Every structure is written in structure tokens, then in C-alpha cells.
Amino acid sequence: MRILIVGAGGVGSAAARIAVRRDFFETLVVADYDPARPEALVAEIGDPRLVAARVDASSAESVADLIRAHGVTHVLNAVDPRFVMPIFDGCFAAGTTYLDMAMSLSHPHAEKPYELTGVKLGDDQFAQEQEWRDAGRLALVGIGVEPGLSDVFARYAEDHLFSEIDELGVRDGANLVVEGYDFAPSFSIWTTIEECLNPPVVYEEGRGWFTTPPFSEPEVFDFPEGIGPVECVNVEHEEVLLMPRWTKAKRVTFKYGLGDEFIEVLKVLHKLGLDKTDLVSVKGVSVSPRDVVAACLPDPATLGDRMTGKTCAGVWVTGTGKDGMPRSTYLYHVADNEQTMAEYNSQAVVWQTAINPIIALELLATGVWSGTGILGPEAFDAKPFLDLLAAPAPAGYGSPWGMEEKPLA
């Protein structure tokens, strides 16, 4: 296996640091628009299998040329979702397997954005499903942590824990604190604005996908391992678009623990138009307001040594257990920033995102996972993934996941 990681930011760098501890690949090319970033990463890691390169992620031709130049067999997209389609198309043109952690962008319904879906997350990719299948190629989409690990949990719950699922409720929360900053998001602010200010999507059996206003249906969810109660709200996310395609859940939701301050900042950005991506002229220079916001905030990849706390991703599953009795179970994974910084020099949020596509690549390399077309994580057997995640090194990745029974409603 010859891998290309597009993007040497926080997640791409963490993925490289995780991958080099494994022996399932021959070459790992790390590419970025700024060649200094992958060059610094390759020098830091010092593994002879790593190669630094430059790529323009906005150009399918640039991506395809780089794939061909290095004989790449598998591409991991580790840049923000505005670049999904050029990378996706470049991979198809070059005949390689594609993986991403965020899917093609959505566009709200023109007339009823808080009731009806417009272009949904991933629609542009799924429109090419037949072409990928006919070509015998695989695009494994949404294989980060959320989406990704949460979708693996959903598959595991349906296969091993529940005979009937009323709701798959993805719940994401943290108690992370960044010292020295009044406001410092631990993940890409560009992506966070995109998913938090777009109309959230909910799925219900018989109704299909529909939308609600941003930050709707607040609830307090008690997260495990010392994180505790966090208020979570509806947010647009890929799981809601993926899980119904491969599971029989009657309802699918995604709620994120943002906190009052974060929500207020996002509302102000929206009110001022600073969430927009359309270019505006500032003293003769064309700039995207959202890019300006991102440039004014610290790079999440650089915050690890100032950050303390844990982040938790998981799925709250309710329904009927295999024994025929009502069941309410939270399947989850926690990353502790102190541990990820000490072991991988990567802060917890980007590390927890990056470990999952590397495990997926290993399962593809060994033939445990295989397929053609455009597939989400739910389309594959969850147990080998979760076993590899939890098994102690060197056999596995040494990062156990957990299950917690929740009170029945």
C-alpha cells in the first residue's frame, strides 16, 4: 500500500505520526499547498517511508498528477470539506482508493431551510456512486471520528447489541480548556462554522431527512470518564446522512456540546456576515470573511501544549436489546489531551480524528475490509475495527473504547 495524505495540518500530521508505528504500508506521501509543512513533519518523524510533496487541493488535476507520480494506491483527504470534490475527482481520474473524514458540502433549501433539506452533505459524492462501482473502485467516506468511529459504533450496536433501534443519537462533548486564550477552538474554525450554522439535519423513518434551526433541541448529556454533564444541541453532521443508508434505525440525530459562549460567538459571526465564504473586496483585495476569521484565530494543531482535559465521541443507542428487553446504551471513545500529547505530540481532538482512517487503511491493506462504490463505515464489519483500536500495541492501537448503560426514558 502506498498512501497519500492530502493536508499537513493538525489531523494530517497526527495521522502520519500514528501511521508510522504500523507496518502495513510501503510509502506515505504527505502533501500540502505549503511544502514547508510536510517537509517539517517528515523531518520531525524521521521515518524513511515518508515523503513530502506539494499539492493544490483545489485542483483535481494536481491531485491526480501527484497520485501518478508516486504510484499512490490510497488517498486520505485531511483538508477542510471545501476541497472534497477536487480530491475525490482526482482520485477517480487516477484510479486510486479514496478516504475522507468530511463529505462534500451542503446547500440549504432556498425557500424552507429550517424544514426541508436542499443539497445534503455528501450528495455530490453519492451522485457518482454508479461510476465508482462500475470502475470497481472504493471511496470510503466519513471515516474520521465523527463521522467515522461513531458510525462504526452504530454498526456494532445493530449487529451485536440491539434487535431493534429506535434512535442512533451521536453525542459529542468535552471538558477541554486552552490556557491563555479567551476563545480558541480545538478544531478547524472553518469547518466548525460550516457545520454549526447550517440547518441541522434529522432523520426519521417514514419522513426521511428534514432540517431544524441551528442549535435546536438542547439537552444535557452526561459524558463518561470525568467529563460530566454538557449541554448539547442539534448540529449538521454526516452521520445523520450516512447511518440511515446502512442501518435500520428509526431515528438518527447528531448533537454537539458547544457551550453558551461558543454558540454566542457563532451567532455574532453570522449576524456580522463573517461566516460567509463569498469573496468581498477590502481595500482592493478580495478575501473570504470566514478565511479572515480562521486566520485571526490560533491554529488548532498548535494548541496541544496549552490544552488540558478530555474529548468524548460516541453514539447513544436506544431500542430493544438482543434479549427482547428495552435498552439504552452509550458506546464511546475518550481521548485525553495529556496522553495524546505525550505519546504522539498531537492534541486530543485532531488525534482522535486521525486514528480512525489509519485503522481503516490497515483493514483495507490486510483485506479484512473491502468493497466497491461509495461506502460509509457502517457498510463494513465493525468488530475487527474496534478490536484493532482497543488491542494493546504492537498488535493494536492501544486505545480502548467503552460502553455505558443509560437510564431508560
Side-chain angles (χ1 to χ4, degrees):
M1 178 179 282
R2 299 175 66 87
I3 304 167
L4 166 62
I5 297 178
V6 180
V11 176
S13 297
R17 293 178 183 128
I18 295 166
V20 293
R21 301 192 180 192
R22 313 299 294 180
D23 60 6
F24 65 86
F25 67 93
E26 175 187 347
T27 300
L28 174 58
V29 181
V30 184
D32 198 278
Y33 189 78
D34 177 3
R37 299 175 76 183
E39 287 168 2
L41 180 65
V42 169
E44 170 206 318
I45 295 175
D47 189 305
R49 296 174 294 172
L50 265 61
V51 178
R54 184 187 182 279
V55 69
D56 180 357
S58 68
S59 166
E61 184 179 4
S62 175
V63 173
D65 286 346
L66 185 60
I67 290 169
R68 296 186 185 108
H70 290 275
V72 167
T73 61
H74 294 70
V75 173
L76 172 58
N77 176 357
V79 291
D80 69 57
R82 66 185 131 168
F83 300 110
V84 162
M85 290 313 297
I87 299 172
F88 184 77
D89 291 340
C91 287
F92 185 82
T96 193
T97 297
Y98 169 87
L99 295 86
D100 66 28
M101 295 169 277
M103 298 184 68
S104 59
L105 295 175
S106 65
H107 301 283
H109 192 279
E111 298 172 357
K112 297 181 178 181
Y114 304 133
E115 299 176 36
L116 304 176
T117 59
V119 176
K120 302 186 297 301
L121 291 169
D123 274 359
D124 291 345
Q125 291 169 281
F126 281 116
Q128 299 184 32
E129 158 72 18
Q130 195 62 50
E131 290 90 333
W132 281 76
R133 186 182 297 143
D134 289 346
R137 296 175 193 156
L138 171 65
L140 174 47
V141 295
I143 187 62
V145 60
E146 291 183 336
L149 181 56
S150 54
D151 304 74
V152 173
F153 284 144
R155 173 81 277 142
Y156 184 85
E158 182 165 288
D159 290 347
H160 299 280
L161 305 178
F162 287 78
S163 59
E164 188 173 286
I165 293 177
D166 294 330
E167 180 170 346
L168 291 169
V170 183
R171 298 294 183 267
D172 185 339
N175 61 0
L176 295 167
V177 176
V178 182
E179 181 185 0
Y181 290 98
D182 291 331
F183 183 75
S186 57
F187 200 71
S188 163
I189 189 62
W190 199 101
T191 304
T192 302
I193 289 172
E194 181 71 20
E195 60 192 26
C196 292
L197 291 178
N198 278 346
V201 181
V202 175
Y203 173 84
E204 288 183 358
E205 184 180 67
R207 183 177 178 182
W209 288 291
F210 61 94
T211 57
T212 71
F215 317 120
S216 57
E217 299 181 3
E219 70 176 42
V220 175
F221 188 83
D222 191 8
F223 288 91
E225 299 194 22
I227 295 175
V230 178
E231 185 177 77
C232 299
V233 294
N234 279 333
V235 169
E236 180 191 48
H237 233 251
E238 287 89 346
E239 293 93 326
V240 180
L241 287 311
L242 290 172
M243 290 177 181
R245 296 176 185 269
W246 288 283
T247 74
K248 297 183 179 67
K250 298 175 184 177
R251 178 177 166 89
V252 183
T253 58
F254 179 96
K255 292 189 179 183
Y256 191 12
L258 294 171
D260 291 340
E261 181 187 26
F262 205 148
I263 290 174
E264 189 58 36
V265 168
L266 291 171
K267 287 180 176 179
V268 170
L269 290 175
H270 179 64
K271 187 177 291 187
L272 297 176
L274 294 174
D275 60 322
K276 297 185 181 301
T277 58
D278 295 336
L279 298 179
V280 298
S281 179
V282 181
K283 296 182 178 181
V285 179
S286 294
V287 296
S288 157
R290 194 186 300 184
D291 286 345
V292 173
V293 172
C296 290
L297 291 170
D299 181 352
T302 68
L303 297 176
D305 59 353
R306 292 173 172 262
M307 189 185 296
T308 56
K310 299 176 181 179
T311 182
C312 179
V315 179
W316 181 17
V317 190
T318 56
T320 305
K322 294 292 187 183
D323 60 359
M325 301 296 292
R327 184 168 186 176
S328 173
T329 307
Y330 184 56
L331 293 82
Y332 68 89
H333 181 262
V334 170
D336 186 321
N337 189 74
E338 182 179 357
Q339 179 182 355
T340 62
M341 283 298 296
E343 293 187 20
Y344 291 91
N345 193 31
S346 295
Q347 54 102 321
V349 177
V350 298
W351 180 89
Q352 191 184 41
T353 304
I355 191 172
N356 300 289
I358 299 304
I359 294 173
L361 284 165
E362 182 162 344
L363 292 173
L364 291 171
T366 56
V368 175
W369 278 11
S370 63
T372 58
I374 300 170
L375 301 177
E378 304 88 345
F380 300 88
D381 186 0
K383 193 172 185 304
F385 186 105
L386 296 176
D387 288 348
L388 199 55
L389 173 67
Y397 287 73
S399 189
W401 56 282
M403 278 198 305
E404 182 177 87
E405 298 302 314
K406 292 287 188 181
L408 295 166

